[in-house]
């Protein structure tokens, strides 16, 4: 079974902290994605990566950065957490190509206080 | 840019009722279309997909047909069960970078 593992299910951080969300996949997928999920807004793409050290901005990249040093790992970084970044964060991976299935992690519920 | 618009919820149905969730899209070129489902407390998983016009995706009694002329990919199930209660997301993948874009999601609750 494909597995996408996110490092934490729940996280509470203070405003201004630097926050790292980690995601690891075990199926040698080229593509990896970070989304945030908010009620009424669905999933919004923050960043995605189609290869090691490659990254592309999604629809809402402001306040976030990413790192992909190894193919299996894709990290989302909140440089200075703010309360409006309180959300559910979902990581996904897929093979290269438009018709391939994306596999999702369980999500990280981040609360910034 | 590419986008997906799906029917707003929430939707509440009785068991064995017919379910339809509308989804329309805007995309350049010929996108692949997907329905993902998120059961309570779980991550998203693929329900079905279609990769070209007139293709029908099907799984677990759900069906959706890729209609290029109406840019739609509506999800249907003839007889829902309580276990179908979930959030359903329409999505598309298009362009050279294969970015995966989602709709807002539709919450479906099926009552016994």
């Amino acid at each position: 079974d494909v597995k996408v593992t996110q490092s934490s299910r729940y996280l509470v951080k203070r405003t201004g902290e630097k926050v790292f969300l980690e995601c690891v996949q075990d199926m040698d997928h080229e593509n990896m994605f970070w989304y945030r999920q908010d009620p009424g807004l669905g999933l919004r793409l923050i960043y995605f990566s189609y290869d090691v050290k490659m990254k592309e901005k999604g629809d809402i990249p402001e306040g976030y950065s990413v790192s992909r040093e190894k193919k299996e790992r894709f990290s989302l970084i909140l440089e200075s957490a703010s309360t409006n970044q309180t959300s559910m964060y979902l990581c996904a991976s897929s093979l290269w190509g438009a018709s391939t299935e994306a596999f999702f992690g369980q999500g990280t519920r981040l609360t910034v206080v | 840019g590419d986008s997906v618009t799906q029917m707003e919820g929430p939707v509440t149905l009785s068991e064995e009722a017919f379910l339809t969730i509308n989804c329309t899209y805007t995309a350049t070129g010929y996108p692949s279309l997907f329905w993902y489902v998120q059961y309570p407390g779980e991550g998203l998983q693929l329900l079905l997909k279609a990769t070209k016009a007139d293709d029908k995706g099907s799984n677990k009694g759900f069906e959706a047909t890729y209609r290029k002329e109406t840019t739609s990919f509506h999800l249907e199930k003839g007889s829902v069960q309580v276990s179908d209660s979930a959030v359903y997301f329409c999505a598309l993948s298009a362009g050279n970078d294969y970015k995966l874009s989602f709709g807002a999601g539709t919450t479906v609750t099926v009552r016994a």
Side-chain angles (χ1 to χ4, degrees), chain A residues 9 31 33 35 37 40-43 45 48 57-59 90 96-102 104-106, chain B residues 32 34 36 38 41-46 49 51 89 93-105:
Chain A
R9 288 297 300 271
N31 296 339
F33 306 84
Y35 294 88
Q37 182 179 10
L41 297 176
L43 274 70
L45 182 64
F48 66 104
K57 292 181 180 179
D59 300 316
L90 296 175
W96 176 257
S99 63
T100 61
E101 175 182 358
F104 282 81
Q106 290 287 81
Chain B
S32 293
F34 307 84
Y36 281 83
Q38 185 177 35
E42 299 184 14
L44 273 77
Q45 55 186 275
L46 180 68
K49 71 177 185 182
T51 58
F89 293 92
S93 178
N96 294 330
D97 53 17
Y98 305 128
K99 187 175 79 169
L100 188 57
S101 299
F102 285 82

mmCIF file of all heavy atoms in Angstrom, chain A residues 9 31 33 35 37 40-43 45 48 57-59 90 96-102 104-106, chain B residues 32 34 36 38 41-46 49 51 89 93-105:
data_model
loop_
_atom_site.group_PDB
_atom_site.id
_atom_site.type_symbol
_atom_site.label_atom_id
_atom_site.label_comp_id
_atom_site.label_asym_id
_atom_site.label_seq_id
_atom_site.Cartn_x
_atom_site.Cartn_y
_atom_site.Cartn_z
ATOM 1 N N ARG A 9 -0.339 14.707 13.828
ATOM 2 C CA ARG A 9 -1.777 14.846 13.574
ATOM 3 C C ARG A 9 -2.298 16.171 14.120
ATOM 4 O O ARG A 9 -3.163 16.795 13.517
ATOM 5 C CB ARG A 9 -2.546 13.710 14.239
ATOM 6 C CG ARG A 9 -2.399 12.347 13.583
ATOM 7 C CD ARG A 9 -2.961 12.333 12.170
ATOM 8 N NE ARG A 9 -4.368 12.660 12.089
ATOM 9 C CZ ARG A 9 -5.357 11.790 12.180
ATOM 10 N NH1 ARG A 9 -5.098 10.512 12.421
ATOM 11 N NH2 ARG A 9 -6.615 12.174 12.059
ATOM 12 N N ASN A 31 5.715 13.622 -7.917
ATOM 13 C CA ASN A 31 4.966 14.816 -7.482
ATOM 14 C C ASN A 31 4.641 14.766 -6.006
ATOM 15 O O ASN A 31 4.236 13.724 -5.491
ATOM 16 C CB ASN A 31 3.633 14.915 -8.236
ATOM 17 C CG ASN A 31 3.804 15.115 -9.728
ATOM 18 O OD1 ASN A 31 4.846 15.555 -10.191
ATOM 19 N ND2 ASN A 31 2.773 14.794 -10.476
ATOM 20 N N PHE A 33 2.614 17.442 -2.987
ATOM 21 C CA PHE A 33 1.755 18.626 -2.868
ATOM 22 C C PHE A 33 1.524 18.957 -1.397
ATOM 23 O O PHE A 33 1.442 18.051 -0.569
ATOM 24 C CB PHE A 33 0.369 18.354 -3.483
ATOM 25 C CG PHE A 33 0.373 17.853 -4.897
ATOM 26 C CD1 PHE A 33 0.541 16.503 -5.162
ATOM 27 C CD2 PHE A 33 0.187 18.715 -5.953
ATOM 28 C CE1 PHE A 33 0.523 16.026 -6.465
ATOM 29 C CE2 PHE A 33 0.166 18.246 -7.261
ATOM 30 C CZ PHE A 33 0.330 16.899 -7.517
ATOM 31 N N TYR A 35 -1.518 21.119 0.634
ATOM 32 C CA TYR A 35 -2.787 21.834 0.592
ATOM 33 C C TYR A 35 -3.164 22.259 2.005
ATOM 34 O O TYR A 35 -2.769 21.631 2.975
ATOM 35 C CB TYR A 35 -3.909 20.924 0.083
ATOM 36 C CG TYR A 35 -3.793 20.477 -1.348
ATOM 37 C CD1 TYR A 35 -3.087 19.317 -1.672
ATOM 38 C CD2 TYR A 35 -4.401 21.190 -2.370
ATOM 39 C CE1 TYR A 35 -2.993 18.886 -2.993
ATOM 40 C CE2 TYR A 35 -4.318 20.763 -3.691
ATOM 41 C CZ TYR A 35 -3.607 19.618 -3.987
ATOM 42 O OH TYR A 35 -3.524 19.200 -5.288
ATOM 43 N N GLN A 37 -6.864 22.863 4.079
ATOM 44 C CA GLN A 37 -8.296 22.590 3.971
ATOM 45 C C GLN A 37 -9.037 23.418 4.999
ATOM 46 O O GLN A 37 -8.796 23.264 6.202
ATOM 47 C CB GLN A 37 -8.583 21.095 4.184
ATOM 48 C CG GLN A 37 -10.040 20.731 4.037
ATOM 49 C CD GLN A 37 -10.302 19.256 4.229
ATOM 50 O OE1 GLN A 37 -9.425 18.501 4.659
ATOM 51 N NE2 GLN A 37 -11.493 18.805 3.900
ATOM 52 N N GLY A 40 -15.742 25.299 3.768
ATOM 53 C CA GLY A 40 -16.320 26.171 2.755
ATOM 54 C C GLY A 40 -15.370 26.573 1.650
ATOM 55 O O GLY A 40 -15.795 27.123 0.636
ATOM 56 N N LEU A 41 -14.079 26.301 1.830
ATOM 57 C CA LEU A 41 -13.080 26.682 0.822
ATOM 58 C C LEU A 41 -12.451 25.475 0.145
ATOM 59 O O LEU A 41 -11.695 25.629 -0.817
ATOM 60 C CB LEU A 41 -11.992 27.540 1.462
ATOM 61 C CG LEU A 41 -12.455 28.873 2.042
ATOM 62 C CD1 LEU A 41 -11.301 29.589 2.732
ATOM 63 C CD2 LEU A 41 -13.052 29.769 0.954
ATOM 64 N N GLY A 42 -12.729 24.301 0.646
ATOM 65 C CA GLY A 42 -12.166 23.106 0.042
ATOM 66 C C GLY A 42 -10.673 23.005 0.269
ATOM 67 O O GLY A 42 -10.155 23.482 1.287
ATOM 68 N N LEU A 43 -9.983 22.407 -0.687
ATOM 69 C CA LEU A 43 -8.531 22.283 -0.626
ATOM 70 C C LEU A 43 -7.909 23.351 -1.509
ATOM 71 O O LEU A 43 -8.236 23.454 -2.692
ATOM 72 C CB LEU A 43 -8.090 20.901 -1.130
ATOM 73 C CG LEU A 43 -8.065 19.772 -0.128
ATOM 74 C CD1 LEU A 43 -9.460 19.371 0.289
ATOM 75 C CD2 LEU A 43 -7.331 18.575 -0.705
ATOM 76 N N LEU A 45 -4.248 24.784 -2.917
ATOM 77 C CA LEU A 45 -2.873 24.359 -3.113
ATOM 78 C C LEU A 45 -1.911 25.451 -2.662
ATOM 79 O O LEU A 45 -1.994 26.592 -3.108
ATOM 80 C CB LEU A 45 -2.651 24.023 -4.595
ATOM 81 C CG LEU A 45 -1.276 23.512 -4.973
ATOM 82 C CD1 LEU A 45 -0.994 22.169 -4.296
ATOM 83 C CD2 LEU A 45 -1.189 23.364 -6.489
ATOM 84 N N PHE A 48 3.650 22.902 -4.741
ATOM 85 C CA PHE A 48 3.873 21.538 -5.162
ATOM 86 C C PHE A 48 5.273 21.407 -5.757
ATOM 87 O O PHE A 48 5.927 22.402 -6.080
ATOM 88 C CB PHE A 48 2.791 21.039 -6.122
ATOM 89 C CG PHE A 48 2.755 21.725 -7.463
ATOM 90 C CD1 PHE A 48 3.255 21.102 -8.592
ATOM 91 C CD2 PHE A 48 2.166 22.974 -7.603
ATOM 92 C CE1 PHE A 48 3.195 21.719 -9.822
ATOM 93 C CE2 PHE A 48 2.111 23.601 -8.831
ATOM 94 C CZ PHE A 48 2.618 22.961 -9.944
ATOM 95 N N LYS A 57 4.863 27.453 -6.984
ATOM 96 C CA LYS A 57 3.831 28.060 -6.145
ATOM 97 C C LYS A 57 2.459 27.581 -6.581
ATOM 98 O O LYS A 57 2.184 27.428 -7.769
ATOM 99 C CB LYS A 57 3.896 29.586 -6.255
ATOM 100 C CG LYS A 57 5.141 30.178 -5.636
ATOM 101 C CD LYS A 57 5.129 31.681 -5.759
ATOM 102 C CE LYS A 57 6.390 32.276 -5.129
ATOM 103 N NZ LYS A 57 6.426 33.750 -5.264
ATOM 104 N N GLY A 58 1.625 27.372 -5.591
ATOM 105 C CA GLY A 58 0.237 27.053 -5.861
ATOM 106 C C GLY A 58 -0.601 28.317 -5.829
ATOM 107 O O GLY A 58 -0.147 29.389 -6.234
ATOM 108 N N ASP A 59 -1.796 28.200 -5.306
ATOM 109 C CA ASP A 59 -2.724 29.328 -5.310
ATOM 110 C C ASP A 59 -2.563 30.274 -4.120
ATOM 111 O O ASP A 59 -2.913 31.443 -4.206
ATOM 112 C CB ASP A 59 -4.159 28.787 -5.330
ATOM 113 C CG ASP A 59 -4.408 27.926 -6.558
ATOM 114 O OD1 ASP A 59 -3.991 28.336 -7.664
ATOM 115 O OD2 ASP A 59 -5.009 26.840 -6.422
ATOM 116 N N LEU A 90 -2.807 19.237 4.436
ATOM 117 C CA LEU A 90 -2.782 17.919 3.817
ATOM 118 C C LEU A 90 -1.629 17.826 2.837
ATOM 119 O O LEU A 90 -1.435 18.704 2.006
ATOM 120 C CB LEU A 90 -4.088 17.661 3.062
ATOM 121 C CG LEU A 90 -5.362 17.612 3.893
ATOM 122 C CD1 LEU A 90 -6.571 17.476 2.986
ATOM 123 C CD2 LEU A 90 -5.336 16.465 4.872
ATOM 124 N N TRP A 96 4.244 11.095 -11.847
ATOM 125 C CA TRP A 96 4.212 12.135 -12.865
ATOM 126 C C TRP A 96 3.112 11.837 -13.890
ATOM 127 O O TRP A 96 2.923 10.729 -14.302
ATOM 128 C CB TRP A 96 5.563 12.186 -13.574
ATOM 129 C CG TRP A 96 5.604 13.160 -14.704
ATOM 130 C CD1 TRP A 96 5.549 12.899 -16.028
ATOM 131 C CD2 TRP A 96 5.693 14.583 -14.592
ATOM 132 N NE1 TRP A 96 5.606 14.058 -16.748
ATOM 133 C CE2 TRP A 96 5.692 15.104 -15.898
ATOM 134 C CE3 TRP A 96 5.780 15.457 -13.508
ATOM 135 C CZ2 TRP A 96 5.766 16.476 -16.151
ATOM 136 C CZ3 TRP A 96 5.857 16.813 -13.759
ATOM 137 C CH2 TRP A 96 5.848 17.307 -15.064
ATOM 138 N N GLY A 97 2.339 12.873 -14.257
ATOM 139 C CA GLY A 97 1.304 12.689 -15.273
ATOM 140 C C GLY A 97 -0.021 13.234 -14.799
ATOM 141 O O GLY A 97 -0.316 13.264 -13.604
ATOM 142 N N ALA A 98 -0.877 13.641 -15.737
ATOM 143 C CA ALA A 98 -2.141 14.296 -15.397
ATOM 144 C C ALA A 98 -3.195 13.318 -14.914
ATOM 145 O O ALA A 98 -4.095 13.704 -14.189
ATOM 146 C CB ALA A 98 -2.669 15.066 -16.605
ATOM 147 N N SER A 99 -3.103 12.059 -15.306
ATOM 148 C CA SER A 99 -4.199 11.152 -14.989
ATOM 149 C C SER A 99 -3.911 10.256 -13.801
ATOM 150 O O SER A 99 -4.645 9.320 -13.536
ATOM 151 C CB SER A 99 -4.509 10.283 -16.207
ATOM 152 O OG SER A 99 -3.387 9.485 -16.529
ATOM 153 N N THR A 100 -2.836 10.539 -13.092
ATOM 154 C CA THR A 100 -2.462 9.640 -11.996
ATOM 155 C C THR A 100 -3.151 10.018 -10.701
ATOM 156 O O THR A 100 -3.435 11.187 -10.436
ATOM 157 C CB THR A 100 -0.943 9.653 -11.784
ATOM 158 O OG1 THR A 100 -0.525 10.976 -11.433
ATOM 159 C CG2 THR A 100 -0.221 9.221 -13.041
ATOM 160 N N GLU A 101 -3.394 9.037 -9.884
ATOM 161 C CA GLU A 101 -4.069 9.215 -8.609
ATOM 162 C C GLU A 101 -3.134 9.862 -7.601
ATOM 163 O O GLU A 101 -1.957 9.514 -7.513
ATOM 164 C CB GLU A 101 -4.502 7.853 -8.098
ATOM 165 C CG GLU A 101 -5.123 7.866 -6.718
ATOM 166 C CD GLU A 101 -5.491 6.462 -6.253
ATOM 167 O OE1 GLU A 101 -5.298 5.507 -7.028
ATOM 168 O OE2 GLU A 101 -5.960 6.339 -5.106
ATOM 169 N N ALA A 102 -3.668 10.802 -6.829
ATOM 170 C CA ALA A 102 -2.919 11.385 -5.725
ATOM 171 C C ALA A 102 -3.264 10.648 -4.439
ATOM 172 O O ALA A 102 -4.428 10.318 -4.193
ATOM 173 C CB ALA A 102 -3.235 12.865 -5.578
ATOM 174 N N PHE A 104 -3.085 10.751 -0.280
ATOM 175 C CA PHE A 104 -3.042 11.775 0.756
ATOM 176 C C PHE A 104 -2.626 11.215 2.106
ATOM 177 O O PHE A 104 -2.942 10.065 2.444
ATOM 178 C CB PHE A 104 -4.428 12.407 0.908
ATOM 179 C CG PHE A 104 -4.749 13.400 -0.167
ATOM 180 C CD1 PHE A 104 -5.204 12.976 -1.396
ATOM 181 C CD2 PHE A 104 -4.579 14.767 0.058
ATOM 182 C CE1 PHE A 104 -5.487 13.899 -2.396
ATOM 183 C CE2 PHE A 104 -4.858 15.689 -0.929
ATOM 184 C CZ PHE A 104 -5.319 15.257 -2.161
ATOM 185 N N GLY A 105 -1.968 12.065 2.870
ATOM 186 C CA GLY A 105 -1.724 11.771 4.269
ATOM 187 C C GLY A 105 -2.965 12.046 5.093
ATOM 188 O O GLY A 105 -3.978 12.523 4.585
ATOM 189 N N GLN A 106 -2.863 11.768 6.396
ATOM 190 C CA GLN A 106 -4.009 11.923 7.299
ATOM 191 C C GLN A 106 -4.275 13.375 7.665
ATOM 192 O O GLN A 106 -5.334 13.698 8.193
ATOM 193 C CB GLN A 106 -3.762 11.130 8.580
ATOM 194 C CG GLN A 106 -3.798 9.631 8.392
ATOM 195 C CD GLN A 106 -5.205 9.123 8.187
ATOM 196 O OE1 GLN A 106 -5.749 9.189 7.087
ATOM 197 N NE2 GLN A 106 -5.811 8.637 9.238
ATOM 198 N N SER B 32 -7.673 15.837 -16.922
ATOM 199 C CA SER B 32 -8.206 14.624 -16.299
ATOM 200 C C SER B 32 -9.077 15.060 -15.137
ATOM 201 O O SER B 32 -8.778 16.048 -14.462
ATOM 202 C CB SER B 32 -7.066 13.733 -15.797
ATOM 203 O OG SER B 32 -6.322 13.211 -16.871
ATOM 204 N N PHE B 34 -11.462 14.014 -11.588
ATOM 205 C CA PHE B 34 -11.465 13.080 -10.463
ATOM 206 C C PHE B 34 -12.584 13.420 -9.485
ATOM 207 O O PHE B 34 -12.999 14.580 -9.359
ATOM 208 C CB PHE B 34 -10.143 13.178 -9.677
ATOM 209 C CG PHE B 34 -8.894 13.031 -10.497
ATOM 210 C CD1 PHE B 34 -8.351 14.122 -11.168
ATOM 211 C CD2 PHE B 34 -8.246 11.811 -10.574
ATOM 212 C CE1 PHE B 34 -7.196 13.995 -11.922
ATOM 213 C CE2 PHE B 34 -7.082 11.678 -11.319
ATOM 214 C CZ PHE B 34 -6.562 12.773 -11.991
ATOM 215 N N TYR B 36 -12.794 12.703 -5.364
ATOM 216 C CA TYR B 36 -12.172 12.181 -4.161
ATOM 217 C C TYR B 36 -13.209 12.205 -3.036
ATOM 218 O O TYR B 36 -14.117 13.040 -3.034
ATOM 219 C CB TYR B 36 -10.966 13.039 -3.746
ATOM 220 C CG TYR B 36 -9.722 12.763 -4.555
ATOM 221 C CD1 TYR B 36 -9.533 13.360 -5.798
ATOM 222 C CD2 TYR B 36 -8.734 11.911 -4.077
ATOM 223 C CE1 TYR B 36 -8.402 13.102 -6.548
ATOM 224 C CE2 TYR B 36 -7.589 11.652 -4.819
ATOM 225 C CZ TYR B 36 -7.429 12.252 -6.052
ATOM 226 O OH TYR B 36 -6.302 11.994 -6.789
ATOM 227 N N GLN B 38 -13.703 11.973 1.336
ATOM 228 C CA GLN B 38 -13.065 12.052 2.658
ATOM 229 C C GLN B 38 -14.080 11.598 3.697
ATOM 230 O O GLN B 38 -15.040 12.315 4.006
ATOM 231 C CB GLN B 38 -12.614 13.476 2.938
ATOM 232 C CG GLN B 38 -11.830 13.637 4.237
ATOM 233 C CD GLN B 38 -11.352 15.077 4.426
ATOM 234 O OE1 GLN B 38 -12.029 16.028 4.055
ATOM 235 N NE2 GLN B 38 -10.168 15.234 5.012
ATOM 236 N N GLY B 41 -12.815 11.752 9.803
ATOM 237 C CA GLY B 41 -11.584 11.428 10.502
ATOM 238 C C GLY B 41 -10.491 10.823 9.629
ATOM 239 O O GLY B 41 -9.454 10.409 10.151
ATOM 240 N N GLU B 42 -10.709 10.775 8.330
ATOM 241 C CA GLU B 42 -9.738 10.153 7.437
ATOM 242 C C GLU B 42 -9.214 11.150 6.407
ATOM 243 O O GLU B 42 -9.754 12.235 6.222
ATOM 244 C CB GLU B 42 -10.352 8.956 6.717
ATOM 245 C CG GLU B 42 -10.813 7.857 7.658
ATOM 246 C CD GLU B 42 -11.327 6.642 6.902
ATOM 247 O OE1 GLU B 42 -11.094 6.540 5.689
ATOM 248 O OE2 GLU B 42 -11.973 5.799 7.557
ATOM 249 N N GLY B 43 -8.143 10.734 5.722
ATOM 250 C CA GLY B 43 -7.626 11.529 4.622
ATOM 251 C C GLY B 43 -8.447 11.321 3.360
ATOM 252 O O GLY B 43 -9.345 10.495 3.318
ATOM 253 N N LEU B 44 -8.126 12.084 2.325
ATOM 254 C CA LEU B 44 -8.833 11.935 1.055
ATOM 255 C C LEU B 44 -8.375 10.674 0.343
ATOM 256 O O LEU B 44 -7.213 10.282 0.424
ATOM 257 C CB LEU B 44 -8.539 13.127 0.135
ATOM 258 C CG LEU B 44 -9.415 14.353 0.281
ATOM 259 C CD1 LEU B 44 -9.004 15.138 1.510
ATOM 260 C CD2 LEU B 44 -9.323 15.226 -0.969
ATOM 261 N N GLN B 45 -9.327 10.063 -0.376
ATOM 262 C CA GLN B 45 -8.956 8.933 -1.216
ATOM 263 C C GLN B 45 -9.704 9.036 -2.537
ATOM 264 O O GLN B 45 -10.814 9.569 -2.596
ATOM 265 C CB GLN B 45 -9.263 7.609 -0.521
ATOM 266 C CG GLN B 45 -10.695 7.438 -0.066
ATOM 267 C CD GLN B 45 -10.887 6.171 0.745
ATOM 268 O OE1 GLN B 45 -11.087 5.102 0.180
ATOM 269 N NE2 GLN B 45 -10.834 6.310 2.053
ATOM 270 N N LEU B 46 -9.082 8.503 -3.586
ATOM 271 C CA LEU B 46 -9.698 8.577 -4.899
ATOM 272 C C LEU B 46 -10.945 7.705 -4.954
ATOM 273 O O LEU B 46 -10.924 6.540 -4.535
ATOM 274 C CB LEU B 46 -8.703 8.096 -5.957
ATOM 275 C CG LEU B 46 -9.213 8.126 -7.397
ATOM 276 C CD1 LEU B 46 -9.414 9.566 -7.863
ATOM 277 C CD2 LEU B 46 -8.237 7.400 -8.322
ATOM 278 N N LYS B 49 -12.238 8.285 -11.542
ATOM 279 C CA LYS B 49 -11.622 9.279 -12.414
ATOM 280 C C LYS B 49 -12.001 9.016 -13.875
ATOM 281 O O LYS B 49 -12.465 7.930 -14.214
ATOM 282 C CB LYS B 49 -10.102 9.256 -12.275
ATOM 283 C CG LYS B 49 -9.433 8.016 -12.867
ATOM 284 C CD LYS B 49 -7.909 8.114 -12.736
ATOM 285 C CE LYS B 49 -7.237 6.945 -13.424
ATOM 286 N NZ LYS B 49 -5.755 6.990 -13.263
ATOM 287 N N THR B 51 -10.345 10.283 -17.879
ATOM 288 C CA THR B 51 -9.200 10.983 -18.449
ATOM 289 C C THR B 51 -9.472 11.586 -19.827
ATOM 290 O O THR B 51 -8.648 12.337 -20.339
ATOM 291 C CB THR B 51 -7.985 10.052 -18.538
ATOM 292 O OG1 THR B 51 -8.346 8.922 -19.334
ATOM 293 C CG2 THR B 51 -7.575 9.591 -17.157
ATOM 294 N N PHE B 89 -15.145 15.618 -3.096
ATOM 295 C CA PHE B 89 -14.420 16.682 -3.777
ATOM 296 C C PHE B 89 -14.256 16.345 -5.249
ATOM 297 O O PHE B 89 -13.781 15.253 -5.594
ATOM 298 C CB PHE B 89 -13.010 16.856 -3.184
ATOM 299 C CG PHE B 89 -12.978 17.363 -1.775
ATOM 300 C CD1 PHE B 89 -12.959 16.474 -0.713
ATOM 301 C CD2 PHE B 89 -12.940 18.712 -1.518
ATOM 302 C CE1 PHE B 89 -12.906 16.937 0.593
ATOM 303 C CE2 PHE B 89 -12.891 19.188 -0.213
ATOM 304 C CZ PHE B 89 -12.882 18.292 0.839
ATOM 305 N N SER B 93 -6.833 17.800 -13.143
ATOM 306 C CA SER B 93 -5.392 17.913 -13.352
ATOM 307 C C SER B 93 -5.170 18.249 -14.820
ATOM 308 O O SER B 93 -5.681 17.555 -15.690
ATOM 309 C CB SER B 93 -4.699 16.603 -12.996
ATOM 310 O OG SER B 93 -3.311 16.689 -13.229
ATOM 311 N N ALA B 94 -4.428 19.341 -15.039
ATOM 312 C CA ALA B 94 -4.233 19.784 -16.418
ATOM 313 C C ALA B 94 -2.923 20.540 -16.518
ATOM 314 O O ALA B 94 -2.290 20.859 -15.532
ATOM 315 C CB ALA B 94 -5.393 20.684 -16.847
ATOM 316 N N GLY B 95 -2.552 20.846 -17.740
ATOM 317 C CA GLY B 95 -1.355 21.646 -17.932
ATOM 318 C C GLY B 95 -0.093 20.823 -17.856
ATOM 319 O O GLY B 95 -0.094 19.656 -17.466
ATOM 320 N N ASN B 96 1.000 21.461 -18.187
ATOM 321 C CA ASN B 96 2.274 20.759 -18.231
ATOM 322 C C ASN B 96 2.789 20.373 -16.853
ATOM 323 O O ASN B 96 3.626 19.483 -16.721
ATOM 324 C CB ASN B 96 3.314 21.623 -18.936
ATOM 325 C CG ASN B 96 2.968 21.822 -20.402
ATOM 326 O OD1 ASN B 96 2.348 20.955 -21.019
ATOM 327 N ND2 ASN B 96 3.326 22.958 -20.943
ATOM 328 N N ASP B 97 2.325 21.067 -15.833
ATOM 329 C CA ASP B 97 2.830 20.769 -14.491
ATOM 330 C C ASP B 97 1.922 19.832 -13.719
ATOM 331 O O ASP B 97 2.242 19.454 -12.603
ATOM 332 C CB ASP B 97 3.035 22.057 -13.699
ATOM 333 C CG ASP B 97 1.787 22.927 -13.671
ATOM 334 O OD1 ASP B 97 0.696 22.423 -13.962
ATOM 335 O OD2 ASP B 97 1.916 24.120 -13.368
ATOM 336 N N TYR B 98 0.767 19.470 -14.293
ATOM 337 C CA TYR B 98 -0.150 18.501 -13.684
ATOM 338 C C TYR B 98 -0.578 18.919 -12.283
ATOM 339 O O TYR B 98 -0.772 18.081 -11.409
ATOM 340 C CB TYR B 98 0.494 17.107 -13.657
ATOM 341 C CG TYR B 98 0.947 16.668 -15.024
ATOM 342 C CD1 TYR B 98 2.233 16.219 -15.233
ATOM 343 C CD2 TYR B 98 0.085 16.739 -16.108
ATOM 344 C CE1 TYR B 98 2.655 15.829 -16.488
ATOM 345 C CE2 TYR B 98 0.506 16.351 -17.379
ATOM 346 C CZ TYR B 98 1.786 15.898 -17.558
ATOM 347 O OH TYR B 98 2.203 15.513 -18.800
ATOM 348 N N LYS B 99 -0.742 20.207 -12.085
ATOM 349 C CA LYS B 99 -1.255 20.687 -10.811
ATOM 350 C C LYS B 99 -2.653 20.128 -10.597
ATOM 351 O O LYS B 99 -3.471 20.120 -11.502
ATOM 352 C CB LYS B 99 -1.293 22.216 -10.833
ATOM 353 C CG LYS B 99 -1.658 22.832 -9.515
ATOM 354 C CD LYS B 99 -1.555 24.345 -9.586
ATOM 355 C CE LYS B 99 -2.730 24.970 -10.265
ATOM 356 N NZ LYS B 99 -2.748 26.444 -10.109
ATOM 357 N N LEU B 100 -2.937 19.693 -9.394
ATOM 358 C CA LEU B 100 -4.223 19.098 -9.052
ATOM 359 C C LEU B 100 -5.045 20.144 -8.318
ATOM 360 O O LEU B 100 -4.678 20.565 -7.219
ATOM 361 C CB LEU B 100 -3.987 17.864 -8.193
ATOM 362 C CG LEU B 100 -5.160 16.958 -7.849
ATOM 363 C CD1 LEU B 100 -5.833 16.445 -9.101
ATOM 364 C CD2 LEU B 100 -4.683 15.810 -6.986
ATOM 365 N N SER B 101 -6.175 20.568 -8.922
ATOM 366 C CA SER B 101 -7.018 21.617 -8.350
ATOM 367 C C SER B 101 -8.341 21.019 -7.892
ATOM 368 O O SER B 101 -8.935 20.205 -8.596
ATOM 369 C CB SER B 101 -7.293 22.704 -9.388
ATOM 370 O OG SER B 101 -6.086 23.295 -9.814
ATOM 371 N N PHE B 102 -8.823 21.462 -6.720
ATOM 372 C CA PHE B 102 -10.023 20.899 -6.104
ATOM 373 C C PHE B 102 -11.152 21.915 -6.028
ATOM 374 O O PHE B 102 -10.919 23.125 -5.940
ATOM 375 C CB PHE B 102 -9.708 20.434 -4.675
ATOM 376 C CG PHE B 102 -8.923 19.169 -4.600
ATOM 377 C CD1 PHE B 102 -7.546 19.187 -4.740
ATOM 378 C CD2 PHE B 102 -9.560 17.951 -4.409
ATOM 379 C CE1 PHE B 102 -6.813 18.015 -4.685
ATOM 380 C CE2 PHE B 102 -8.841 16.777 -4.348
ATOM 381 C CZ PHE B 102 -7.463 16.811 -4.492
ATOM 382 N N GLY B 103 -12.372 21.386 -6.009
ATOM 383 C CA GLY B 103 -13.525 22.187 -5.670
ATOM 384 C C GLY B 103 -13.643 22.348 -4.166
ATOM 385 O O GLY B 103 -12.834 21.831 -3.399
ATOM 386 N N ALA B 104 -14.706 23.036 -3.743
ATOM 387 C CA ALA B 104 -14.865 23.368 -2.326
ATOM 388 C C ALA B 104 -15.319 22.199 -1.461
ATOM 389 O O ALA B 104 -15.248 22.260 -0.242
ATOM 390 C CB ALA B 104 -15.846 24.524 -2.170
ATOM 391 N N GLY B 105 -15.781 21.131 -2.101
ATOM 392 C CA GLY B 105 -16.252 19.980 -1.338
ATOM 393 C C GLY B 105 -17.738 20.058 -1.030
ATOM 394 O O GLY B 105 -18.287 21.142 -0.824
#
